[in-house]
Amino acid sequence: GYDAEHLRQYCDRYRMQPVIPLRTMKRKPKPGPPRLFDRPKYRQRNIIERMFGWLKESRRIGTRYDKLARSFAAMVTLACTLRCLRQYFSYRA
């Protein structure tokens, strides 16, 4: 895992705004401005993370089996197409 304090310092150094919600358990207050939770950005981040999870269902993409960037991009396109087809043309009622 990563050290949360190290990541916090990195974000502060490059003036990055975190979009991850704060923990529910209380901590000692940290110096500096309070960290805010940006719900719309977190929602966008969640969509991207789910997309990567769907792509990794294809073992060929998850293990980066293809050597050429062109064939890797083609497999990502194919995996996205199959995912869309499965969603729109499933036999569930």
Side-chain angles (χ1 to χ4, degrees):
Y2 296 98
D3 179 24
E5 190 59 37
H6 179 71
L7 288 174
R8 219 175 247 127
Q9 290 171 1
Y10 180 84
C11 290
D12 289 341
R13 186 178 329 134
Y14 292 102
R15 297 187 177 136
M16 300 165 111
Q17 290 295 324
V19 295
I20 301 170
L22 297 174
R23 293 172 143 189
T24 55
M25 56 185 251
K26 302 293 180 192
R27 292 180 166 190
K28 291 187 278 185
K30 299 283 182 190
R35 300 194 183 276
L36 302 174
F37 172 56
D38 189 356
R39 189 168 299 277
K41 280 189 181 179
Y42 187 72
R43 193 169 181 81
Q44 290 174 346
R45 177 176 179 244
N46 185 5
I47 291 169
I48 298 298
E49 285 182 359
R50 284 186 305 178
M51 183 203 60
F52 278 111
W54 292 335
L55 285 176
K56 287 185 178 183
E57 284 178 8
S58 174
R59 192 171 84 184
R60 186 173 184 156
I61 294 171
T63 58
R64 188 71 161 95
Y65 180 78
D66 296 303
K67 301 296 182 210
L68 299 176
R70 186 177 357 172
S71 45
F72 181 72
M75 284 307 299
V76 169
T77 304
L78 182 62
C80 288
T81 304
L82 290 173
R83 179 69 184 185
C84 288
L85 288 174
R86 183 171 42 174
Q87 181 179 352
Y88 292 120
F89 297 105
S90 67
Y91 291 108
R92 289 181 285 169

